[in-house]
Amino acid sequence: MKIKYSRFSVTELDAHQQAIIPISACAAAGNMSALDQALNQGLDAGLSVAEVREILVQVYAYAGFPRSLNALSELMRVAQARRQRGIQDEAGREPGRPIPKGDALLAAGTANQTRLAGGPVSGPLFDFAPQANEYLRTHLFGDIFERDNLDWQIRELATVSMLAAMSGVEPQLQSHIGISMNIGLRPEQLYALAAVLEARFGLEAAERVRVGIQCQLDVRHE
């Protein structure tokens, strides 16, 4: 199935969704100077400090703790500078429900992973390294996806943007494009994400997303 992506406008995404894309991409790529601009634009667009902080914490799962911590430090600096200029950014909210612990966390994370992926996740890789899937279920789909101060569509828009910003992770990018579709994001919205990436981050990242969308559409319409 072929879709002419050029006809899709960034207006398929609201202002908050659009603002999340360059923040996520710049943080994952470790581009602090571009992140400064993206953070200011995102806060100007009405993102709360808590929403942005939550996205930058999530960076650790895809780009590692060093880039997540650097991005969080940049957010602290930007937020302080804005306060000193008299800008009152919305603080935002923390998760409204407690995060499970122990076996309950693993069970919740496994259920989240299954729902996001559209079925149970298994395969030779996880047979070879079962602890990797346990970490995914507890830390990513448990600790992170159980936090309800961002909805899953926002988390996936952020994740796709993070993965698109990095080379060599195309299989994971395509997987998360599929997850995005599983939870209700339309191809038009994902092509709009690519358009925002092209305008505010870089063409290569945008093209990775476009290729991934088309691959998912082809698989789903075979």
Side-chain angles (χ1 to χ4, degrees):
M1 179 182 181
K2 298 294 183 183
I3 291 183
K4 186 175 177 58
Y5 63 75
S6 60
R7 74 173 187 269
F8 296 125
S9 166
V10 296
T11 57
E12 293 285 347
L13 301 172
D14 65 31
H16 284 197
Q17 291 168 327
Q18 291 181 42
I20 283 164
I21 294 164
I23 290 172
S24 304
C26 292
N31 188 334
M32 292 298 104
S33 60
L35 180 60
D36 175 280
Q37 181 181 22
L39 290 171
N40 276 289
Q41 290 175 340
L43 293 169
D44 287 342
L47 289 174
S48 71
V49 174
E51 286 173 316
V52 178
R53 184 172 63 235
E54 190 74 17
I55 290 163
L56 298 182
V57 169
Q58 185 173 314
V59 167
Y60 99 83
Y62 302 100
F65 272 117
R67 289 191 173 174
S68 175
L69 295 174
N70 289 346
L72 287 164
S73 295
E74 186 67 13
L75 173 60
M76 278 200 311
R77 188 194 65 77
V78 166
Q80 181 179 20
R82 289 170 66 87
R83 286 195 301 271
Q84 290 173 348
R85 299 201 306 272
I87 300 172
Q88 299 297 318
D89 294 308
E90 182 183 348
R93 68 180 184 89
E94 296 303 314
R97 65 170 184 255
I99 306 302
K101 303 294 182 184
D103 290 342
L105 177 63
L106 177 59
T110 301
N112 290 345
Q113 182 193 53
T114 301
R115 179 181 165 195
L116 287 158
V121 175
S122 62
L125 175 61
F126 294 139
D127 293 337
F128 177 70
Q131 68 273 27
N133 202 20
E134 183 173 341
Y135 293 158
L136 285 173
R137 289 170 172 170
T138 54
H139 299 313
L140 176 55
F141 297 113
D143 283 321
I144 292 179
F145 275 78
E146 278 294 290
R147 292 171 64 84
D148 62 358
N149 52 341
L150 292 180
D151 66 38
W152 284 5
Q153 288 192 357
I154 289 295
R155 289 196 183 278
E156 282 304 311
L157 288 172
T159 298
V160 169
S161 303
M162 293 171 200
L163 292 170
M166 300 181 287
S167 62
V169 293
E170 285 78 6
Q172 290 77 24
L173 172 60
Q174 188 172 144
S175 175
H176 278 276
I177 288 171
I179 286 173
S180 298
M181 293 181 183
N182 290 344
I183 59 172
L185 285 167
R186 295 176 286 107
E188 294 87 347
Q189 292 174 295
L190 294 168
Y191 277 121
L193 181 155
V196 174
L197 278 175
E198 181 172 346
R200 298 182 60 186
F201 181 78
L203 177 60
E204 287 187 13
E207 286 300 306
R208 291 186 191 110
V209 173
R210 290 169 181 147
V211 169
I213 297 167
Q214 193 60 64
C215 287
Q216 278 293 323
L217 290 173
D218 289 345
V219 166
R220 288 164 188 247
H221 289 86
E222 284 180 351

